[in-house]
Amino acid sequence: MTDTLTIVFALYPRVTHLDFTGPHQVLCRLPGAVTHLASVDGGALTFDGVTFGDLERLADIAACDVLCVPGGFGTMDAMGDARFMGEIRRLAEGARYVTSVCTGSLILGAAGLLKGRRAACHWAWRNQLALFGAIPDGGRVVRDGNVFTGGGVTAGIDFALTLAAEIAGNGFAQGLQLSLEYAPAPPFDAGRPETAPPEVLARVRAMLDATGATRREAVEAAALAM
Protein backbone atom coordinates (compact mmCIF):
# COMPACT_ATOMS: atom_id res chain seq x y z
CA MET A 1 0.00 0.00 0.00
CA THR A 2 1.43 3.38 -0.97
CA ASP A 3 1.38 6.41 1.32
CA THR A 4 -1.05 8.14 -1.03
CA LEU A 5 -4.48 6.73 -1.78
CA THR A 6 -5.76 8.31 -4.99
CA ILE A 7 -9.56 8.31 -5.24
CA VAL A 8 -11.37 9.48 -8.37
CA PHE A 9 -15.07 10.29 -8.58
CA ALA A 10 -16.03 10.24 -12.26
CA LEU A 11 -18.79 12.81 -12.78
CA TYR A 12 -21.06 13.69 -15.68
CA PRO A 13 -24.09 15.91 -16.37
CA ARG A 14 -27.21 15.11 -14.31
CA VAL A 15 -25.40 12.91 -11.81
CA THR A 16 -27.06 12.53 -8.39
CA HIS A 17 -24.80 14.50 -6.07
CA LEU A 18 -25.49 12.44 -2.92
CA ASP A 19 -24.22 9.41 -4.83
CA PHE A 20 -20.73 10.85 -4.59
CA THR A 21 -20.82 13.46 -1.82
CA GLY A 22 -21.85 10.81 0.73
CA PRO A 23 -18.99 8.44 -0.14
CA HIS A 24 -16.61 11.37 -0.56
CA GLN A 25 -17.25 12.52 3.02
CA VAL A 26 -16.18 9.09 4.25
CA LEU A 27 -13.36 8.20 1.86
CA CYS A 28 -11.62 11.58 2.03
CA ARG A 29 -10.81 10.79 5.69
CA LEU A 30 -8.86 7.62 4.89
CA PRO A 31 -5.12 7.74 5.63
CA GLY A 32 -3.27 9.31 2.69
CA ALA A 33 -6.46 9.96 0.75
CA VAL A 34 -6.24 12.37 -2.18
CA THR A 35 -9.62 12.80 -3.83
CA HIS A 36 -10.34 14.02 -7.34
CA LEU A 37 -13.69 15.17 -8.67
CA ALA A 38 -13.36 14.88 -12.42
CA SER A 39 -15.41 14.94 -15.61
CA VAL A 40 -14.68 14.69 -19.31
CA ASP A 41 -14.24 18.41 -19.85
CA GLY A 42 -13.50 19.56 -16.31
CA GLY A 43 -14.69 22.97 -15.18
CA ALA A 44 -18.12 23.15 -13.61
CA LEU A 45 -21.20 20.96 -13.52
CA THR A 46 -24.57 21.81 -12.00
CA PHE A 47 -26.99 19.17 -10.76
CA ASP A 48 -30.16 19.64 -8.75
CA GLY A 49 -29.37 23.32 -8.35
CA VAL A 50 -25.89 22.75 -6.88
CA THR A 51 -22.80 23.74 -8.87
CA PHE A 52 -19.51 21.93 -8.43
CA GLY A 53 -16.65 23.95 -9.88
CA ASP A 54 -12.97 23.44 -10.64
CA LEU A 55 -13.53 19.84 -11.68
CA GLU A 56 -10.48 18.15 -13.15
CA ARG A 57 -10.38 16.51 -16.55
CA LEU A 58 -10.49 12.74 -16.37
CA ALA A 59 -7.83 12.54 -19.07
CA ASP A 60 -5.42 14.50 -16.86
CA ILE A 61 -5.51 11.85 -14.12
CA ALA A 62 -2.85 9.28 -14.87
CA ALA A 63 -4.12 6.52 -12.57
CA CYS A 64 -6.01 5.90 -9.35
CA ASP A 65 -6.31 3.43 -6.52
CA VAL A 66 -10.09 3.78 -6.23
CA LEU A 67 -12.46 4.62 -9.07
CA CYS A 68 -15.99 5.52 -8.02
CA VAL A 69 -18.79 6.03 -10.55
CA PRO A 70 -22.00 7.54 -9.15
CA GLY A 71 -25.44 7.20 -10.71
CA GLY A 72 -28.13 9.66 -11.68
CA PHE A 73 -30.57 10.66 -14.38
CA GLY A 74 -27.63 11.32 -16.69
CA THR A 75 -26.45 7.72 -16.57
CA MET A 76 -27.87 6.82 -19.97
CA ASP A 77 -26.23 9.77 -21.73
CA ALA A 78 -22.95 9.01 -19.97
CA MET A 79 -23.02 5.44 -21.30
CA GLY A 80 -23.31 6.85 -24.81
CA ASP A 81 -20.37 9.24 -24.35
CA ALA A 82 -17.38 7.49 -25.93
CA ARG A 83 -14.87 9.81 -24.27
CA PHE A 84 -16.34 9.28 -20.81
CA MET A 85 -16.55 5.52 -21.22
CA GLY A 86 -13.00 5.38 -22.53
CA GLU A 87 -11.73 7.14 -19.41
CA ILE A 88 -13.72 4.78 -17.18
CA ARG A 89 -12.12 1.76 -18.84
CA ARG A 90 -8.64 3.30 -18.70
CA LEU A 91 -8.79 4.24 -15.02
CA ALA A 92 -10.46 0.97 -14.02
CA GLU A 93 -7.70 -1.05 -15.65
CA GLY A 94 -5.12 0.04 -13.10
CA ALA A 95 -7.34 0.67 -10.08
CA ARG A 96 -7.11 -1.42 -6.94
CA TYR A 97 -10.85 -1.00 -6.42
CA VAL A 98 -13.53 -0.33 -9.03
CA THR A 99 -16.70 0.96 -7.41
CA SER A 100 -20.09 2.50 -8.05
CA VAL A 101 -23.18 3.82 -6.35
CA CYS A 102 -26.78 3.47 -7.57
CA THR A 103 -27.06 3.32 -11.38
CA GLY A 104 -23.34 3.93 -11.65
CA SER A 105 -23.09 0.13 -11.84
CA LEU A 106 -24.84 0.31 -15.23
CA ILE A 107 -21.92 2.44 -16.41
CA LEU A 108 -19.48 -0.14 -15.09
CA GLY A 109 -21.50 -2.79 -16.89
CA ALA A 110 -21.48 -0.84 -20.16
CA ALA A 111 -17.70 -0.51 -19.81
CA GLY A 112 -17.45 -4.31 -19.73
CA LEU A 113 -16.29 -4.39 -16.11
CA LEU A 114 -19.05 -6.52 -14.57
CA LYS A 115 -19.22 -9.64 -16.73
CA GLY A 116 -19.89 -12.60 -14.48
CA ARG A 117 -19.77 -10.43 -11.37
CA ARG A 118 -22.46 -9.78 -8.78
CA ALA A 119 -23.42 -6.12 -8.54
CA ALA A 120 -25.88 -3.84 -6.78
CA CYS A 121 -27.90 -1.02 -8.31
CA HIS A 122 -30.94 1.14 -7.60
CA TRP A 123 -33.88 -1.26 -7.16
CA ALA A 124 -35.79 0.13 -10.15
CA TRP A 125 -32.96 -0.57 -12.62
CA ARG A 126 -31.17 -3.51 -10.98
CA ASN A 127 -32.40 -6.17 -13.41
CA GLN A 128 -30.90 -4.26 -16.35
CA LEU A 129 -27.45 -5.25 -15.11
CA ALA A 130 -28.07 -8.68 -16.63
CA LEU A 131 -27.89 -7.14 -20.10
CA PHE A 132 -24.19 -6.57 -19.47
CA GLY A 133 -23.55 -10.09 -18.26
CA ALA A 134 -23.59 -9.05 -14.61
CA ILE A 135 -25.49 -10.83 -11.84
CA PRO A 136 -28.01 -8.45 -10.23
CA ASP A 137 -27.81 -8.54 -6.44
CA GLY A 138 -30.32 -6.91 -4.10
CA GLY A 139 -27.72 -6.25 -1.42
CA ARG A 140 -27.19 -2.72 -0.13
CA VAL A 141 -23.44 -3.21 -0.61
CA VAL A 142 -22.09 -5.95 -2.84
CA ARG A 143 -18.48 -7.02 -3.23
CA ASP A 144 -17.18 -9.29 -5.97
CA GLY A 145 -13.40 -9.38 -6.03
CA ASN A 146 -12.09 -5.82 -6.30
CA VAL A 147 -15.48 -4.49 -7.43
CA PHE A 148 -17.63 -2.81 -4.75
CA THR A 149 -21.10 -1.61 -5.71
CA GLY A 150 -23.70 0.19 -3.63
CA GLY A 151 -27.46 0.18 -4.07
CA GLY A 152 -29.55 3.31 -4.53
CA VAL A 153 -28.23 6.75 -3.52
CA THR A 154 -27.99 6.60 0.31
CA ALA A 155 -26.34 3.16 0.11
CA GLY A 156 -23.26 5.10 -0.96
CA ILE A 157 -22.44 5.84 2.68
CA ASP A 158 -22.68 2.15 3.60
CA PHE A 159 -20.55 1.27 0.58
CA ALA A 160 -17.92 3.84 1.57
CA LEU A 161 -17.69 2.54 5.14
CA THR A 162 -17.38 -1.01 3.81
CA LEU A 163 -14.55 0.04 1.52
CA ALA A 164 -12.93 2.03 4.32
CA ALA A 165 -12.88 -1.13 6.45
CA GLU A 166 -11.30 -3.05 3.59
CA ILE A 167 -8.56 -0.45 3.20
CA ALA A 168 -7.91 0.70 6.77
CA GLY A 169 -9.50 -1.93 8.99
CA ASN A 170 -12.78 -2.32 10.86
CA GLY A 171 -11.72 -0.21 13.81
CA PHE A 172 -10.81 2.75 11.64
CA ALA A 173 -14.06 2.48 9.69
CA GLN A 174 -16.05 2.29 12.91
CA GLY A 175 -14.29 5.43 14.10
CA LEU A 176 -15.32 7.19 10.90
CA GLN A 177 -18.90 6.07 11.38
CA LEU A 178 -18.89 7.39 14.93
CA SER A 179 -17.28 10.70 14.00
CA LEU A 180 -19.94 11.24 11.33
CA GLU A 181 -22.65 10.05 13.75
CA TYR A 182 -23.93 7.74 11.06
CA ALA A 183 -26.73 5.96 12.94
CA PRO A 184 -29.67 5.81 10.51
CA ALA A 185 -33.09 5.96 12.10
CA PRO A 186 -35.42 6.95 9.25
CA PRO A 187 -38.86 8.30 10.11
CA PHE A 188 -40.53 5.78 7.79
CA ASP A 189 -39.86 2.16 6.88
CA ALA A 190 -40.38 3.01 3.23
CA GLY A 191 -36.85 2.94 1.86
CA ARG A 192 -37.20 -0.31 -0.09
CA PRO A 193 -39.97 -1.60 -2.34
CA GLU A 194 -40.47 -4.55 0.02
CA THR A 195 -41.36 -2.30 2.93
CA ALA A 196 -42.94 0.79 1.33
CA PRO A 197 -46.74 1.13 1.52
CA PRO A 198 -48.32 -0.22 -1.70
CA GLU A 199 -49.74 3.15 -2.71
CA VAL A 200 -46.33 4.82 -2.28
CA LEU A 201 -44.60 2.11 -4.27
CA ALA A 202 -47.18 2.42 -7.05
CA ARG A 203 -46.73 6.20 -7.23
CA VAL A 204 -42.93 6.00 -7.37
CA ARG A 205 -43.01 3.20 -9.94
CA ALA A 206 -45.31 5.27 -12.14
CA MET A 207 -42.94 8.22 -11.91
CA LEU A 208 -39.92 6.11 -12.79
CA ASP A 209 -41.75 4.24 -15.54
CA ALA A 210 -42.26 7.56 -17.33
CA THR A 211 -38.61 7.33 -18.43
CA GLY A 212 -38.27 3.58 -18.11
CA ALA A 213 -38.59 2.73 -21.81
CA THR A 214 -36.01 5.32 -22.79
CA ARG A 215 -33.61 4.08 -20.16
CA ARG A 216 -33.97 0.47 -21.21
CA GLU A 217 -33.37 1.38 -24.85
CA ALA A 218 -30.18 3.17 -23.85
CA VAL A 219 -29.03 0.20 -21.78
CA GLU A 220 -29.77 -2.23 -24.60
CA ALA A 221 -27.87 -0.05 -27.06
CA ALA A 222 -24.89 0.11 -24.71
CA ALA A 223 -24.98 -3.66 -24.24
CA LEU A 224 -24.98 -4.24 -28.00
CA ALA A 225 -22.03 -1.87 -28.39
CA MET A 226 -19.84 -3.85 -25.95
Side-chain angles (χ1 to χ4, degrees), residues 100-106 114 117-122 126 129 135-143 148-152 155:
S100 67
V101 178
C102 198
T103 54
S105 59
L106 294 175
L114 296 182
R117 293 181 183 265
R118 294 182 302 109
C121 188
H122 188 285
R126 186 187 307 137
L129 285 168
I135 303 167
D137 191 307
R140 189 159 171 84
V141 181
V142 175
R143 179 184 185 176
F148 286 70
T149 52

Side-chain angles (χ1 to χ4, degrees), residues 6-214:
T6 302
I7 304 169
V8 173
F9 292 88
L11 309 183
Y12 50 88
R14 301 180 71 209
V15 72
T16 296
H17 58 72
L18 186 56
D19 279 13
F20 71 89
T21 54
H24 182 280
Q25 186 65 76
V26 174
L27 298 179
C28 73
R29 300 189 181 195
L30 284 170
V34 178
T35 59
H36 300 266
L37 301 183
S39 64
V40 168
D41 295 318
L45 283 176
T46 298
F47 6 87
D48 294 333
V50 180
T51 298
F52 291 82
D54 296 326
L55 301 180
E56 299 177 60
R57 293 175 66 248
L58 286 166
D60 292 336
I61 301 172
C64 64
D65 298 296
V66 179
L67 173 64
C68 184
V69 182
F73 288 108
T75 299
M76 304 305 127
D77 289 335
M79 288 193 303
D81 185 333
R83 290 190 300 159
F84 181 79
M85 295 303 292
E87 295 299 338
I88 295 300
R89 294 186 184 96
R90 178 183 67 81
L91 289 168
E93 185 175 359
R96 288 171 55 200
Y97 301 103
V98 176
T99 75
S100 67
V101 178
C102 198
T103 54
S105 59
L106 294 175
I107 291 175
L108 296 185
L113 302 171
L114 296 182
K115 291 180 180 178
R117 293 181 183 265
R118 294 182 302 109
C121 188
H122 188 285
W123 60 266
W125 316 111
R126 186 187 307 137
N127 289 340
Q128 295 184 6
L129 285 168
L131 294 171
F132 300 116
I135 303 167
D137 191 307
R140 189 159 171 84
V141 181
V142 175
R143 179 184 185 176
D144 193 323
N146 72 328
V147 176
F148 286 70
T149 52
V153 191
T154 60
I157 298 175
D158 299 63
F159 139 74
L161 287 168
T162 302
L163 182 60
E166 165 71 16
I167 293 172
N170 287 349
F172 188 89
Q174 289 170 12
L176 282 179
Q177 181 175 349
L178 177 59
S179 67
L180 295 171
E181 199 174 347
Y182 180 57
F188 309 107
D189 188 15
R192 295 183 66 89
E194 298 86 357
T195 61
E199 67 277 11
V200 173
L201 177 60
R203 185 171 69 251
V204 173
R205 281 194 184 278
M207 179 185 68
L208 296 175
D209 285 348
T211 59
T214 301

